[in-house]
Amino acid sequence: MATQQILINGQWISSTGSNTFQATNPATAETLEPLYPVSPWNEIEAAIQAASDASKQMRGWSGERFAAFLDSYAEEIEKRTEALVETAHLETGYPESPRLRDGELPRTTNQLRQAATHAREGSWAMPTIDTATGISSLFGPIGPVTVFGPNNFPFAFNSIAGGDFAAAVAAGNPVIAKGHSSHPGTTQIFAEAADTAAKATNMPTGFVQLIYRTSHEDGCRLVSHPLMGAIGYTGGRSAGLTIKAAADKAGKPVYLELSSINPVFVLPEALNERSADIAEEFKGSCLMGTGQFCTNPGLVILKAGASADTFIQQVTQKFEEAPAGILLSKGGQTGLEAGIAAIEAAGATLITGGTASDGPGFSYANTLLKVSGNQFLANPSSLQEEAFGNSALFVIAESDEELAEIAEYLEGNLTGCIYSHTDGNDDTLYDQIAPVLRQKVGRLLNDKMPTGVAVSPAMNHGGPFPSTGHPVFTSVGIPAAIHRFSMLQCYDNVRPHRLPEALKPQNPNSKLWRYIDGMYTTDDYSS
Amino acid sequence: MATQQILINGQWISSTGSNTFQATNPATAETLEPLYPVSPWNEIEAAIQAASDASKQMRGWSGERFAAFLDSYAEEIEKRTEALVETAHLETGYPESPRLRDGELPRTTNQLRQAATHAREGSWAMPTIDTATGISSLFGPIGPVTVFGPNNFPFAFNSIAGGDFAAAVAAGNPVIAKGHSSHPGTTQIFAEAADTAAKATNMPTGFVQLIYRTSHEDGCRLVSHPLMGAIGYTGGRSAGLTIKAAADKAGKPVYLELSSINPVFVLPEALNERSADIAEEFKGSCLMGTGQFCTNPGLVILKAGASADTFIQQVTQKFEEAPAGILLSKGGQTGLEAGIAAIEAAGATLITGGTASDGPGFSYANTLLKVSGNQFLANPSSLQEEAFGNSALFVIAESDEELAEIAEYLEGNLTGCIYSHTDGNDDTLYDQIAPVLRQKVGRLLNDKMPTGVAVSPAMNHGGPFPSTGHPVFTSVGIPAAIHRFSMLQCYDNVRPHRLPEALKPQNPNSKLWRYIDGMYTTDDYSS
């Protein structure tokens, strides 16, 4: 059985490494056919060198060049829809439709096209001009970017097609994609499409490259290499923190999206008003994709009372009626099992679920646990362990004060939700909790579950540590996500004809927003 | 002799620690009178708790509250001009005039007032509104900020009055100032002014606090404390990297401004055209403040030839004629000595200087060294050791290609300059060097020395590692500098009356710039 090739410096080549791995169909636990290589250091180093060379070749290129690639790439992806959907279904267990074909794939091409639009317009670079001093600045490319994609979005966060990839390219950088080991075939098809688009749009050979897997040690060498510009990582906390430590030590900007349990406060009068509706919304959000969303609501905080009891009963019934979905991998199943065991060990009681499901594939019963507010406050760290998948923990507070105190003990999360009574009957309590929760989360929601992450300029798919590595940045939402892969570049007394087009007196495309002498404008300026 | 008090939670209190230190007059090497305490951990922890309480009290406060404090503080500083100038002169050896009274002090109050203006207007927070999805976001305060000020700007970068302080407050945060040990008396006067202004403007007691010194271990505990929001540090590389490692491990955003040698390329035809002028500019910039500027030009790259020889002779003569200034401390003198010795050990030859000066104070002869381009490329790391003070290293390249190659081997720096012929006779060479240098520095200059750092919205006083900790951020230039002490806060489906004023349909002050549906505007919007 032939080992699949890696994409280095514009060529599909055979790896020189002897270690290989295979993907597994999580619905059947069967190993999938092709072998994929674990790349040894010399290959990784060749990729870094090629990316660095590409970066040099592209210095000063206009956004139009990158936009042309991104648009062409979106088209190449669409041509491969059937193969992508089929392969990702086999490798992830996600339904072909609507999830893969109608949800994640259009989202992915949409992200690439949005990135193209913004690369073309250029406003993401925030050109800032001070005509009195002759000083101007903008954000420019940072250099080679390595993207580590997660297992749970084989398309929209794929290392060679997802949001980090699109943002890194829109900023003008080459990308080294480190594919996720659970969906190598999907990543391979994207890489073929990217390579085709890169050649069609005359990009340098080291512009898009793919390696499937490295040793942990080589992963750390990769992110800390002197020629590396920045790193995007989405995935588990433990591996992410190892990557972060290596990158931090070398002074390389590293953007991580790690675990998040996404607390949801459901206030008492909201339950009195519409408990059944909220239970249905919660079930939908928590079990969607078998709970394998970064923004999966894993912690629900209620105030003790009859309405909380009813709500828990309603949710429990829905969790018991819903079929247990497929988990992405054997590791996902054992990780969920271990997470639930840890939460139980920390004092929580099982309401339903708590066992691996029968059947050939990887699956675990839809699981609910509960703990008192008092217990939570006694052990807040262990009770915030992420159990990634189709499970959630209820925390039952005895009083309004305890609800607010629980909010104070939350770790950094991507999102936080508060459901409250429509006519304001919960507003006093809302006003106690919301300011606390605000500081703990990147996105605060009202009366809405967190799993939908719109690709909006106002989106923040980010949050305080440990949900991400830096609370200023978002990984979803263009143009903001592009900044991560840039550096601030100032020009002081530089002769006008030598300035980048975006900083010259004439607005290069009449759509570019610039901050000129304290005003945002698309006008030209006088030098 | 009484030990001076620290400012914790709105009270001037005596430290419980038994260790003390004293400042030294660098012009005479005499110890200055008052004793200042080294604070033990319990005091630092009390400051953190008070800052955290202040942070909670200030949740949701308008920018106006912080602007009022900043304006009041600037006035309180002006009332203490004489004491500040006199004390800083004694503690730093800097001339009272023009440096302290006419340069650095007005710059400091100007920074505070600019921060006030921007806190009031609010545009720094970049409110972003997507009316179609009901999602909006802005940058909000991050929480308690610790600021470590450097020794070389007792006013403009002071931990309790400088740029980091102003930015942290403008973002809505309390500050714990860790004063620099070489100018504790100056810092004390600022803290008195800040405390007065904080009380006059009804800020919480833990809003501004001052400790003079901690053990290294406690400094690391401080920056990694769970209640800490972010850290600003300006100073030496070694201590800075220790702080960075501690903060990074705890996931705390840390903004460092470390060493920088600020390379200057002087191209051959520029020398043929105006060698004497450039020599004079270089001498002024390199010896200003006895070379103790973050942006001091410490590396000059020339192309071998008669014009380079002449230029070096001209600079040498000026360096020999100029009096050696006072260095900030004994440590500054021994550090400069060690830095020069290291550069010599790496192969450089001494042209002039190279010895400590006679006299009672801390001083070192104006020093020049040189090395061939070949030698530099053989040992680029050692030859980029910072010798902080009144010294510079010439690198003499044999060819245009070698000039460009030297640029490729430069570390990250705050600034990089290129002098070229006025009529374009150096332009071919400029075009080879500039794109390389661009990626290595935060601010690229033409025909201008780097030591002036204008407080402009377009300024970047930042750059790639190791000159700073993150190339996206600047520590000078408002509003950009404010972002460092913030987090991105998104609102999704939040009921309109609960949104921050800046995100509501009506523009709160008619001057606030917002990015609404892809357009920057100061208009209201319809919900």
Side-chain angles (χ1 to χ4, degrees), chain A residues 126-144:
Chain A
M126 302 186 69
T128 300
I129 293 153
D130 181 359
T131 58
T133 59
I135 300 174
S136 56
S137 62
L138 45 59
F139 289 95
I142 181 73

Side-chain angles (χ1 to χ4, degrees), chain B residues 152-509:
Chain B
N152 64 335
F153 277 86
F155 296 163
F157 284 78
N158 191 290
S159 55
I160 201 162
D164 279 2
F165 177 86
V169 168
N173 303 298
V175 172
I176 298 172
K178 209 297 282 172
H180 194 279
S181 302
S182 72
H183 50 252
T186 306
T187 306
Q188 185 177 24
I189 299 168
F190 277 125
E192 286 160 3
D195 183 40
T196 302
K199 289 185 169 122
T201 53
N202 299 310
M203 303 304 280
T205 50
F207 173 59
V208 282
Q209 302 180 92
L210 169 66
I211 48 182
Y212 292 102
R213 197 159 165 170
T214 71
S215 70
H216 290 314
E217 191 200 341
D218 285 344
C220 289
R221 287 176 80 181
L222 166 61
V223 302
S224 56
H225 192 281
L227 295 176
M228 191 52 50
I231 299 96
Y233 172 97
T234 308
R237 191 184 292 194
S238 164
L241 293 182
T242 303
I243 292 292
K244 172 173 153 60
D248 282 342
K249 195 168 175 201
K252 302 295 176 186
V254 54
Y255 303 99
L256 306 147
E257 194 208 308
L258 304 174
S259 54
S260 179
I261 57 171
N262 305 297
V264 179
F265 288 80
V266 190
L267 304 190
E269 295 299 330
L271 287 180
N272 287 335
E273 181 187 36
R274 56 190 208 280
S275 181
D277 292 348
I278 300 172
E280 181 62 24
E281 277 181 62
F282 174 71
K283 183 266 291 177
S285 178
C286 188
L287 300 185
M288 185 187 295
T290 319
Q292 299 164 114
F293 274 55
C294 320
T295 50
N296 182 62
L299 191 73
V300 182
I301 302 101
L302 306 171
K303 187 172 165 187
S307 65
D309 294 342
T310 304
F311 180 66
I312 292 174
Q313 279 163 18
Q314 289 166 326
V315 173
T316 304
Q317 190 183 339
K318 289 174 192 294
F319 266 53
E320 289 172 348
E321 285 168 4
I326 303 294
L327 291 162
L328 285 159
S329 67
K330 179 76 188 162
Q333 184 183 305
T334 52
L336 178 55
E337 209 153 12
I340 288 169
I343 292 168
E344 282 192 80
T349 315
L350 200 65
I351 301 173
T352 186
T355 53
S357 309
D358 293 338
F362 308 130
S363 187
Y364 195 89
N366 298 326
T367 297
L368 293 168
L369 303 107
K370 70 174 174 185
V371 73
S372 71
N374 211 15
Q375 285 173 296
F376 183 87
L377 291 171
N379 205 355
S381 176
S382 301
L383 287 163
Q384 289 179 75
E385 284 273 322
E386 187 179 39
F388 192 67
N390 48 332
S391 82
L393 171 65
F394 289 105
V395 182
I396 320 292
E398 281 305 314
S399 64
D400 292 358
E401 292 65 36
E402 203 172 82
L403 272 174
E405 200 181 348
I406 289 165
E408 291 281 7
Y409 279 86
L410 292 174
E411 289 189 346
N413 276 282
L414 296 172
T415 70
C417 305
I418 308 177
Y419 279 74
S420 61
H421 188 275
T422 308
D423 296 333
N425 299 2
D426 283 313
D427 278 12
T428 307
L429 188 48
Y430 181 95
D431 292 342
Q432 280 179 269
I433 294 167
V436 185
L437 190 59
R438 174 66 283 177
Q439 293 304 118
K440 304 285 186 173
V441 304
R443 179 164 54 113
L444 179 70
L445 300 101
N446 277 185
D447 312 302
K448 187 180 174 187
M449 288 295 164
T451 29
V453 182
V455 182
S456 156
M459 176 52 65
N460 181 15
H461 194 58
F465 187 83
S467 66
T468 80
H470 200 303
V472 160
F473 299 99
T474 174
S475 67
V476 174
I478 296 171
I482 303 176
H483 280 119
R484 296 174 297 154
F485 303 110
S486 76
M487 60 181 279
L488 184 54
Q489 299 184 330
C490 172
Y491 295 84
D492 187 346
N493 200 42
V494 168
R495 300 184 191 175
H497 71 280
R498 292 170 173 170
L499 289 170
E501 292 302 317
L503 296 176
K504 289 182 180 171
Q506 193 183 338
N507 190 311
N509 59 26

Side-chain angles (χ1 to χ4, degrees), chain A residues 65-86:
Chain A
R65 292 295 304 265
F66 300 95
F69 162 78
L70 289 163
D71 280 337
S72 165
Y73 183 25
E75 275 179 45
E76 292 298 329
I77 288 172
E78 283 164 351
K79 288 183 196 164
R80 292 163 177 82
T81 297
E82 289 314 308
L84 282 165
V85 167
E86 197 178 304

